[in-house]
Each structure stands twice: as structure tokens, then as C-alpha cells.
Amino acid sequence: MGEIALPNGIGNGNSINGVNGQSQSLNGYRKSCWYEEEIEEDLRWCFALNSILHTGASQYQDIALLDTKPFGKALVIDGKLQSAETDEFIYHECLVHPALLYHPSPKNVFIMGGGEGSTARELLRHKTIDKVVMCDIDEEVVNFCKSYLVVNKEAFRDTRLEVIINDARAELEARDDESYDVIVGDLADPIDGGPCYKLYTKSFYEFIVKPKLQQGGIFVTQAGPAGIFSHTEVFSCIYNTLRQVFKYVVPYSAHIPSYADIWGWVMASDSPLDLSAEELDLRMRQRIKGENRYLDGKTFSSASTLSKTVRKSLDNETHVYTEEAARFIHGHGKHA
């Protein structure tokens, strides 16, 4: 649920990400154009804009690219900020590098979603990688990001990257003769009416994802907000769902400033996920081109040490994510 408010508190009259309305300021005057996102029913997060660079819509989602004052260029889909220029490296380093570092020698990777290109960019920094398949359902989003997100242009041109426009489930099912060292879930959040919630279910993990992993393979997915109050939306049940399918499951989280919350990821495998901070650092030096801006061994040790509140909640979670018993974060997709 995103809304653009112009100076003097007057909405711009256009529907941005499916929301149309007016926004009033407390003092009756705003010096800037503002973007406002509804985090919860009684909580909104807003920041000033330099400009609205582009808005559009596909058959699946509404899309906007905003030039924000605090976070630079920001990609917004279905009224939810997906990534921002100044801090997207935190999200993408956390999503990609732990799984690839825990794997002894990852060569081929399948990305579910990832149309922005940043996940592919981080994967392709690994020297062992021979092939990355990026499968996103929305060609409009992929083309949009190719055109507007300069930081990922080299990744899209890399010959090791294969870009497929398809539903990730259908694509994995169709690739009978292929399996992967790592599968990455860089999907949009599960929201009511969104295109992705079925790819967070136990049946999908058990019958589609796991059989496509090679021996020792690792699956990792973004898992939504993971703060003290927000982790019960989807993070805890995604974690519990993966516990029903894989032998070893590691939840971890980090603060993403532009998300206005702690964010969560879950890594899962049938092989042990147990490396020291020193071993992670050594593998980073040996395998990754360039230096991470956020993630190192100690940072991951901290990220995977959850607070007492969240830890107890995850231990006690009993909900299993299914199509019939789905959980959603706050918001509505285009087809809700």
C-alpha cells in the first residue's frame, strides 16, 4: 500500500501501486513530495522524494521507481519497497553469501524471482560459479530493472546468467535433467493477492525444491519481517515449514534501514550447516571477487543469533505454511 503525497499535503491523483488517496500533513504544508507505505494498519512509514522516475504495471504487479532523499533509487512493487540503492547490499549479501559459503563448491544456482538482478550480481562474484538460472514470472519487472538499475547491468550481461520468464515452480518441474547446488528464493513477500505465496508452502519445498538439489545442496529464501513484533507474520512459520522438510535449518536476520524493520532469511539443507566465523572469512577471501560491504564471519554469527523473544517464538511455532493455511504480511497484491 504505497501512496505519493505532493506539497501542501495533496495526493497526486494517480494510483501508485494500487492505492489512491490524499495525505494530510499535521502543519498543513509539506516542502517535499513524499512516499508513504502502510507497514501495519496503524503504522505508516514515509520518506521524502526527489522525483518519481517511473511507474508502470504488468499483468501481475504494479511497479514504481522512486528517487528518494534518504535511500536513493527505490524499487516499489505492489506498494511494498523491494530494495533501495543505499542499503540493498545488506539484503542481497545476506541472502546469497551464507548458502554459497556453506556449500563446499557451488557451481550452478537457480534463483526463484530475483528480477531486479542484484541476487544474480552477488552470486556471480563467486569464482566457483559456472551457471546461474534466474527465473522470474514478470517480464515487465525484469525489463524495467535492466533499463533503470545501472548497478546490475554487468550481471545481466554476464554469459553465465540465463534469464527465464516463467513461474518458478513450472520451470523447476520442466527441468527434468537439471539439479542445483543452491536454490535461492528471492521472491516477493507473501501478500494476499500477490503472485508468490504458493512458493512458500511445505508441498513446494518438499516435492519441487528439495528433489532439485544435488547431494549436499542448500536452499535459502528471504522470509519476510523478523522483528520482535513482526516475525510472527510469516518468518516463524516459514522457518517451521522448512523444519518439516530439511534436516538442518538456520534462521537469521539483519536490520534493513529502508524496510523500517529487521528482515529474515532461512537456510536449509540435509547436510550440516556448521562453519565458524573464521572459516567463513577464509572462504570469502578464497572464493569471492571483491570485498563484501556488510557480511563477514562475525556478522553472520551475530545474524544467526536471534533475540530471546524471537528464538522462543520460533521454537514454539507449530503453523505449517500451505496453500489452504497461508499467512501473509500486511498489504494486498494486484489481484486481491
Side-chain angles (χ1 to χ4, degrees):
M1 294 184 176
E3 181 180 289
I4 306 297
L6 296 178
N8 299 316
I10 302 174
N12 66 353
N14 294 321
S15 178
I16 302 296
N17 297 306
V19 176
N20 188 16
Q22 296 190 348
S23 175
Q24 300 297 325
S25 62
L26 293 177
N27 61 8
Y29 180 75
R30 278 177 162 163
K31 295 181 180 180
S32 301
C33 177
W34 288 75
Y35 169 74
E36 185 177 81
E37 181 174 319
E38 189 170 290
I39 306 297
E40 299 173 6
E41 186 173 348
D42 298 318
L43 177 63
R44 292 191 174 193
W45 165 240
C46 63
F47 39 85
L49 301 181
N50 291 313
S51 62
I52 302 167
L53 298 175
H54 185 82
T55 61
S58 72
Q59 69 180 100
Y60 301 104
Q61 300 162 121
D62 293 312
I63 312 161
L65 186 66
L66 311 176
D67 183 8
T68 78
K69 291 188 177 181
F71 302 117
K73 291 179 182 177
L75 176 67
V76 178
I77 294 180
D78 277 341
K80 295 290 183 182
L81 190 146
Q82 302 299 305
S83 72
E85 190 174 23
T86 60
D87 64 6
E88 58 87 4
F89 68 93
I90 303 173
Y91 171 93
H92 291 103
E93 287 183 15
C94 287
L95 174 67
V96 167
H97 297 305
L100 265 72
L101 293 167
Y102 272 95
H103 194 282
S105 182
K107 297 185 183 303
N108 59 339
V109 180
F110 188 97
I111 308 171
M112 304 189 305
E116 175 188 347
S118 298
T119 295
R121 180 196 73 214
E122 293 300 316
L123 286 166
L124 292 166
R125 291 176 57 208
H126 283 255
K127 299 172 186 177
T128 61
I129 291 296
D130 293 330
K131 182 178 181 180
V132 173
V133 178
M134 187 185 87
C135 180
D136 198 289
I137 196 172
D138 200 330
E139 187 171 18
E140 292 287 336
V141 169
V142 174
N143 290 337
F144 180 93
C145 294
K146 280 184 179 180
S147 299
Y148 289 96
L149 300 183
V150 178
V151 68
N152 295 330
K153 283 192 178 297
E154 286 189 19
F156 278 115
R157 289 196 291 258
D158 195 301
T159 56
R160 294 172 293 168
L161 178 65
E162 179 184 3
V163 178
I164 301 293
I165 304 301
N166 197 3
D167 173 74
R169 181 186 188 116
E171 188 65 26
L172 283 169
E173 287 179 320
R175 290 175 174 253
D176 293 332
D177 57 343
E178 290 191 29
S179 56
Y180 303 92
D181 296 315
V182 177
I183 296 177
V184 179
D186 186 18
L187 301 163
D189 300 315
I191 58 174
D192 192 8
C196 294
Y197 78 93
K198 294 180 182 180
L199 303 186
Y200 291 92
T201 60
K202 180 176 182 288
S203 62
F204 177 66
Y205 294 150
E206 185 172 10
F207 300 118
I208 307 298
V209 171
K210 188 171 180 177
K212 286 296 180 181
L213 287 171
Q214 295 182 7
Q215 183 71 29
I218 299 172
F219 172 65
V220 63
T221 183
Q222 81 88 14
I228 291 291
F229 301 115
S230 60
H231 73 275
T232 55
E233 288 184 303
V234 295
F235 180 59
S236 59
C237 71
I238 291 172
Y239 165 72
N240 185 56
T241 302
L242 284 166
R243 282 200 301 180
Q244 315 305 309
V245 178
F246 291 93
K247 188 173 181 181
Y248 302 96
V249 182
V250 176
Y252 57 102
S253 63
H255 178 239
I256 313 289
S258 63
Y259 288 2
D261 206 347
I262 305 294
W263 211 255
W265 302 265
V266 183
M267 181 169 56
S269 179
D270 279 343
S271 296
L273 298 169
D274 187 19
L275 289 175
S276 69
E278 292 74 22
E279 289 171 312
L280 285 171
D281 284 335
L282 177 60
R283 291 189 178 189
M284 286 184 199
R285 291 193 297 270
Q286 292 172 335
R287 297 186 189 183
I288 300 177
K289 297 175 184 176
E291 187 172 347
N292 288 342
R293 295 172 63 187
Y294 178 78
L295 192 76
D296 63 5
K298 287 184 177 180
T299 303
F300 184 72
S301 295
S302 173
S304 55
T305 305
L306 304 176
S307 70
K308 178 181 178 181
T309 300
V310 176
R311 203 167 59 243
K312 288 181 67 177
S313 182
L314 265 61
D315 287 343
N316 294 327
E317 179 64 76
T318 59
H319 188 91
V320 175
Y321 205 110
T322 67
E323 290 187 26
E324 298 75 26
R327 283 185 181 176
F328 304 105
I329 70 166
H330 185 76
H332 298 285
K334 187 173 182 179
H335 302 293

